[in-house]
Amino acid sequence: MDPLSFAEDIAKKAGALLIELRKKEFTVETKGGNSRDIVTSIDREVNEVIVSAIKSAYPTHRIYSEEGSGVVDGADEEWVIDP
């Protein structure tokens, strides 16, 4: 699958997951003690799904994630994730 089709597919799956997870209880935390920089357990879960899918499909690509996972140094291709 080409990267654009892959990105569209994983974005749809992540969106469906976000809709389901927001119906359930979730936690909210601050990052680095900054009350304006929050992250939810939903953010973290969806981020993991996206990063795992990219790692599986494109193991040599670099991933920059706001939630801080999945970085591969030295790659020419880069994904930027902000769930």
Side-chain angles (χ1 to χ4, degrees), residues 7 14 18 23 28-30 34 37 42-43 46 54 56-57 68 70 78:
L18 281 166
K23 296 175 185 175
V28 178
E29 302 170 11
T30 60
N34 182 346
D37 192 5
I42 295 171
D43 294 325
V46 171
I54 295 169
S56 178
E78 180 173 23

Side-chain angles (χ1 to χ4, degrees), residues 8-34:
E8 290 170 343
D9 185 55
I10 196 63
K12 289 175 185 175
K13 289 177 183 174
L17 179 58
L18 281 166
I19 290 168
E20 280 304 307
L21 292 175
R22 74 177 188 179
K23 296 175 185 175
K24 302 175 183 178
E25 286 190 38
F26 58 91
T27 60
V28 178
E29 302 170 11
T30 60
K31 292 191 264 182
N34 182 346

Side-chain angles (χ1 to χ4, degrees), residues 21-65:
L21 292 175
R22 74 177 188 179
K23 296 175 185 175
K24 302 175 183 178
E25 286 190 38
F26 58 91
T27 60
V28 178
E29 302 170 11
T30 60
K31 292 191 264 182
N34 182 346
S35 62
R36 295 186 322 185
D37 192 5
I38 62 169
V39 62
T40 68
S41 55
I42 295 171
D43 294 325
R44 293 185 193 278
E45 189 169 340
V46 171
N47 182 77
E48 184 56 36
V49 167
I50 295 168
V51 169
S52 293
I54 295 169
K55 283 181 175 181
S56 178
Y58 300 99
T60 62
H61 288 194
R62 180 175 37 244
I63 303 170
Y64 172 78
S65 168

